[in-house]
Amino acid sequence: MALTGWSGLDNPEPGLAVARALRRGWRGSLRIDGLVYDALATGGWTPGVANCLHLIPPIAQGDDAVLHRLLALHQEHRIDVLVPCLDLEVPVISRLSSRLARAGIGTLLPDPGDVQAISKINLSAYCYANDVVTPRTVHVRDLSTVALHADSFGYPLWVKGTVAGAKKVYNREQAVFEAEILAAKWGGGVLLQEAIEGSEHMVAAVARRDGSCLSMVAARKLGTNQRGKSVIGGVIDDPVLKRIALRLLSKLHWQGPLELEFVRAASGGQFYLIEINCRFPAWVLLTEFARANMPVALVKEILSPGTTSRSKGRAGSMYARDVQEMAVPIAAVRELKRSGSAPVPRFKAMRRQRGDLAVGVTGISAFELTQPGLGVARCLRAAPEVGRLVGLAYTPNDTGLFRSELFDACCRIGFEHGEANEGQGDAMLLDRLAAIKKKRGLDLVIPNLDFEIDRYRRIASELDRIGIRTLLPSAAARRKLGKLGLAELIGRHQWSGFEYPETMLIKTRSDLIRAWDRFGSPLMLKGLVAGAARLFSLKQALMAWMRFKAEGETRLLAQPSLFGEEFGIGVVCDGNGNLIDSMALKKLVMCERGKTWAATSVPLAQAVADLAEMFRKVAWAGPADVEFIRDSVTERLELIEINPRFPGWIGFSGMAGSNLPRQLLLAAMERPPVPAGRNTGPIQGAIFMRTVEEIPAAASTMAAFVNRGEIAYD
């Protein structure tokens, strides 16, 4: 069978989840061919899922081009079933379905007209005509009227793209800002939709050819990130919701998979239909966890119509959306680019080591962004010195809690960094770590979040006294290599490997206007604590400045925006500022928020040599994440920033380069480092890739974390 939709990065397309569900639930022989538009569609390279990947033409090239490629692939690989997993593909494949069927390729899809009737632009009218409750929505084609329409709605409200994408906004400036971005990406203006406060619910279903319901599973979003995406969800048994969904299905004249999205109003409990998606949802693997595998039911219905009985999902089943990382041979990616098809390599699972050390790792969540602790843990699992890994988590939504293959136990630490009394917060953290050491053993702690570094540095001597080691930069070293200190430091030295962009400190509105006059468009604004924004007009810059101020960033940095290839270097220094080991990579694929989802290692010898001198001058200790851009005009490497922890892509170092977390462990424990070049992983000549992975979760696990403060897997 063949599936599309293998990309999507941190907002995943459904194809990978559909394929995983088929791998888990199908009984009998199964070959899965992944149809991709880009050789770096990271989900397609996930080990053990697709057998082979094939490049297909964009649907913009027309129905004939798509049909020709599908039939050519069918001649070579025999495609019994084709499941399109992207909204824009469904009407195209539906139009081709009769010709595909004559060739022996089965599909189960709605009529293109039925898809058009429930598109984002037409859904409001459809709901009105069919007496379906939905939030007030307007399609704004002329962006100059967005502010007028938004004010008439009131705030907050949702700004949505005509095909995909949505942002919740709280004033007219945000509405205009987000509308410009979404309209530029998808075209056709934007949708403004009333924001209904309440709980979010989802229904996945498969309809037979006669429109009757073959399978239906309802779920609730239990953890939603800042972009409104469900990261944790669970199956529910709500008769009212299912009755509404079945009524909708009877009116849709539907065939095949679909997803219904609802909000249940906090006031009154009314269900509002938000969207209808004409394909499986990205969370469809939950239906396998709930013993009602929808992709399997769909394939059986295509192959043997009417023979599959309706299944009911087991209420209480849960999933958490985490990440999987892999190293894909460059040769395989090259083969796909060159010939249009390539087998997906298989990899051996890394064996757990049983050394003498117990290590605590923070930053173990992919709830908002993929935190470095997950990659650090993967690296340390390959370190022969490590016998026990303890995940140090903050909330029951931290996705690492459900990674029993990574952690022997997970323990709760608190957000005492927000305490008015800094000393009290430090004492609470120290007491908690001492208790964890007493019960679980703890020889070393590796903090992996920016805000933690100062906390752990302040209690480092006390931790050392009770037998818990750390390796962290001093406050003075952090200031010298921080966002404010870098410009001054680099200005006093000549570095041949890189430069630093001209920078202005922004304290007032007048400062920002002067920076705009000096640097022009686009302008980069950076918070001293976190966050960055690329602005294309003075109006946007002023709005971003106000947003930073509202988040507590009273001082900002302004720089001219640089365009070019992006690079990263991860390093580890010993307690004397000597660089022990490093790994440099070129970023190939990044998500919308600038995080690395595909990369390959590269030699940046001069930059590394300059960094070694810089770190020695400031007596840096521990890890660092150094980010560069190679300016497309000057071809010079420009240093962007230095973060006092491992980079988010650090897991790659345990697969195909120097295992930097292991080197830190050895340095912190005063053991000899592994010589550079001999600390390599099992795969050389590889591309690092990251993809989303839904994993089973349990309410009991979250409750144990909240009530007892720990989860034990050993």
Side-chain angles (χ1 to χ4, degrees):
M1 82 179 48
L3 303 172
T4 66
W6 295 83
S7 188
L9 306 182
D10 54 340
N11 182 21
E13 294 173 354
L16 177 57
V18 173
R20 281 189 167 122
L22 289 168
R23 283 288 178 213
R24 285 173 172 259
W26 187 261
R27 300 294 177 261
S29 61
L30 177 67
R31 175 187 171 87
I32 296 178
D33 289 284
L35 307 181
V36 299
Y37 298 102
D38 184 349
L40 292 176
T42 60
W45 295 104
T46 306
V49 183
N51 295 86
C52 195
L53 297 183
H54 310 284
L55 289 174
I56 57 174
I59 57 176
Q61 291 188 12
D63 292 7
D64 288 342
V66 174
L67 178 64
H68 182 269
R69 178 58 172 156
L70 291 176
L71 293 179
L73 289 172
H74 182 52
Q75 289 294 317
E76 291 187 45
H77 302 282
R78 185 185 165 193
I79 300 172
D80 298 304
V81 174
L82 171 61
V83 182
C85 295
L86 300 178
D87 298 90
L88 293 177
E89 297 170 335
V90 171
V92 174
I93 303 302
S94 179
R95 289 194 296 268
L96 299 174
S97 59
S98 59
R99 284 183 281 180
L100 292 172
R102 287 195 293 270
I105 302 175
T107 60
L108 184 58
L109 297 168
D111 183 82
D114 293 328
V115 175
Q116 182 64 23
I118 53 87
S119 67
K120 288 178 171 58
I121 292 176
N122 296 325
L123 182 60
S124 182
Y126 177 88
C127 290
Y128 179 80
N130 289 275
D131 195 27
V132 177
V133 181
T134 190
R136 185 162 60 102
T137 306
V138 63
H139 180 203
V140 182
R141 292 178 173 85
D142 182 357
L143 294 187
S144 67
T145 65
V146 166
L148 177 65
H149 285 289
D151 285 346
S152 70
F153 269 82
Y155 302 95
L157 80 153
W158 286 97
V159 181
K160 295 187 172 185
T162 53
V163 177
K167 294 288 185 179
K168 195 174 188 179
V169 299
Y170 296 88
N171 54 55
R172 62 157 45 194
E173 290 78 15
Q174 288 182 350
V176 172
F177 182 78
E178 299 297 348
E180 290 175 352
I181 295 173
L182 288 167
K185 184 172 184 179
W186 299 111
V190 294
L191 300 171
L192 301 183
Q193 188 173 82
E194 175 188 10
I196 306 295
E197 295 302 321
S199 56
E200 298 183 55
H201 299 256
M202 315 167 287
V203 177
V206 176
R208 294 187 176 96
R209 295 191 188 278
D210 62 4
S212 63
C213 181
L214 170 63
S215 182
M216 180 175 287
V217 172
R220 179 176 175 177
K221 296 182 181 181
L222 301 175
T224 305
N225 63 21
Q226 292 178 358
R227 293 173 299 155
K229 304 302 179 183
S230 175
V231 182
I232 298 176
V235 174
I236 60 173
D237 186 6
D238 189 316
V240 175
L241 179 58
K242 287 192 175 181
R243 185 166 62 249
I244 294 171
L246 286 169
R247 177 175 173 269
L248 264 169
L249 193 61
S250 69
K251 292 176 175 290
L252 288 171
H253 313 295
W254 205 258
Q255 299 180 91
L258 82 160
E259 178 191 21
L260 309 171
E261 297 188 40
F262 296 88
V263 169
R264 186 173 193 174
S267 175
Q270 175 72 58
F271 281 101
Y272 289 77
L273 178 67
I274 303 298
E275 284 188 8
I276 301 179
N277 299 308
C278 56
R279 37 74 184 163
F280 279 125
W283 54 269
V284 72
L285 188 55
L286 175 61
T287 66
E288 158 63 17
F289 301 158
R291 300 178 184 173
N293 194 312
M294 282 193 177
V296 169
L298 173 69
V299 173
K300 287 182 177 180
E301 182 67 15
I302 293 172
L303 296 175
S304 302
T307 61
T308 304
S309 58
R310 183 174 173 180
S311 57
K312 179 181 178 181
R314 184 178 57 179
S317 303
M318 293 175 58
Y319 78 94
R321 181 164 288 162
D322 201 63
V323 295
Q324 182 175 356
E325 297 177 339
M326 55 266 188
V328 179
I330 292 176
V333 178
R334 285 175 176 163
E335 182 180 351
L336 179 58
K337 286 184 175 181
R338 182 178 62 251
S339 68
S341 297
V344 177
R346 292 184 173 272
F347 304 113
K348 292 182 180 179
M350 192 170 292
R351 291 188 301 174
R352 178 175 295 197
Q353 302 294 327
R354 287 296 179 188
D356 63 310
L357 296 177
V359 184
V361 178
T362 76
I364 60 168
S365 181
F367 190 89
E368 284 294 344
L369 297 171
T370 303
Q371 296 174 350
L374 294 168
V376 170
R378 292 187 177 99
C379 290
L380 293 178
R381 271 296 170 215
E385 298 82 8
V386 176
R388 177 184 294 272
L389 273 181
V390 180
L392 303 177
Y394 286 96
T395 77
N397 288 337
D398 287 355
T399 57
L401 296 178
F402 309 105
R403 284 293 192 183
S404 57
E405 80 283 6
L406 279 183
F407 300 106
D408 299 283
C410 289
C411 299
R412 185 179 65 228
I413 52 178
F415 282 103
E416 292 86 9
H417 69 284
E419 294 284 335
N421 186 331
E422 186 179 90
Q424 181 182 359
D426 292 350
M428 293 171 66
L429 176 61
L430 181 62
D431 289 344
R432 182 61 182 144
L433 293 173
I436 294 171
K437 177 177 176 61
K438 183 176 180 180
K439 186 171 184 178
R440 295 285 169 192
L442 209 56
D443 300 296
L444 171 69
V445 174
I446 303 177
N448 292 290
L449 302 176
D450 291 322
F451 76 82
E452 298 174 320
I453 305 303
D454 285 339
R455 296 179 63 197
Y456 281 87
R457 177 188 50 76
R458 290 193 300 265
I459 64 172
S461 60
E462 292 297 314
L463 287 174
D464 189 60
R465 183 179 58 80
I466 62 175
I468 302 176
R469 299 287 184 89
T470 58
L471 188 59
L472 300 167
S474 67
R478 284 201 63 190
R479 284 194 300 272
K480 291 175 182 177
L481 296 189
K483 294 177 182 178
L484 273 178
L486 268 175
E488 180 181 350
L489 178 67
I490 293 179
R492 297 198 307 263
H493 300 277
Q494 292 297 321
W495 309 99
S496 56
F498 53 81
E499 296 177 348
Y500 190 71
E502 185 179 356
T503 304
M504 291 180 63
L505 179 63
I506 307 300
K507 297 181 180 179
T508 66
R509 188 176 188 274
S510 298
D511 291 338
L512 181 57
I513 294 173
R514 281 194 294 272
W516 180 264
D517 291 339
R518 183 174 184 84
F519 298 138
S521 174
L523 177 75
M524 183 66 69
L525 275 186
K526 296 181 178 180
L528 293 185
V529 176
R534 179 175 283 148
L535 296 319
F536 295 88
S537 70
L538 180 57
K539 182 179 178 181
Q540 284 186 347
L542 290 169
M543 285 192 297
W545 174 65
M546 291 178 358
R547 188 166 63 244
F548 274 112
K549 284 184 65 177
E551 295 171 355
E553 292 269 17
T554 58
R555 296 188 300 168
L556 304 175
L557 297 182
Q559 295 174 337
S561 282
L562 301 174
F563 294 92
E565 297 173 325
E566 297 194 26
F567 298 82
I569 301 179
V571 306
V572 174
C573 296
D574 63 19
N576 298 316
N578 299 311
L579 192 149
I580 303 169
D581 208 344
S582 65
M583 181 177 183
L585 55 70
K586 176 182 176 181
K587 302 179 182 184
L588 302 176
V589 177
M590 289 177 286
C591 68
E592 288 184 3
R593 292 187 286 180
K595 304 305 176 184
T596 305
W597 282 72
T600 185
S601 58
V602 293
L604 293 176
Q606 187 57 58
V608 171
D610 287 348
L611 287 174
E613 182 181 350
M614 179 185 294
F615 287 131
R616 190 164 50 249
K617 284 181 179 294
V618 302
W620 189 270
D625 167 29
V626 190
E627 298 183 25
F628 295 93
I629 289 180
R630 189 185 300 281
D631 188 274
S632 58
V633 176
T634 66
E635 291 296 319
R636 290 278 293 169
L637 272 183
E638 299 279 352
L639 175 60
I640 303 304
E641 64 182 21
I642 298 176
N643 300 303
R645 36 87 183 154
F646 283 119
W649 52 261
I650 191 61
F652 188 31
S653 77
M655 303 173 194
S658 298
N659 190 329
L660 300 184
R662 183 189 180 196
Q663 296 282 46
L664 183 144
L665 176 147
L666 295 172
M669 302 306 296
E670 299 179 354
R671 299 185 183 184
V674 177
R678 300 182 186 177
N679 185 30
T680 54
I683 301 174
Q684 300 299 308
I687 294 177
F688 165 75
M689 291 190 189
R690 175 185 290 156
T691 188
V692 165
E693 180 179 21
E694 286 77 32
I695 56 178
S700 58
T701 300
M702 300 172 75
F705 178 81
V706 171
N707 295 325
R708 297 200 302 267
E710 69 171 17
I711 303 163
Y713 291 115
D714 51 357

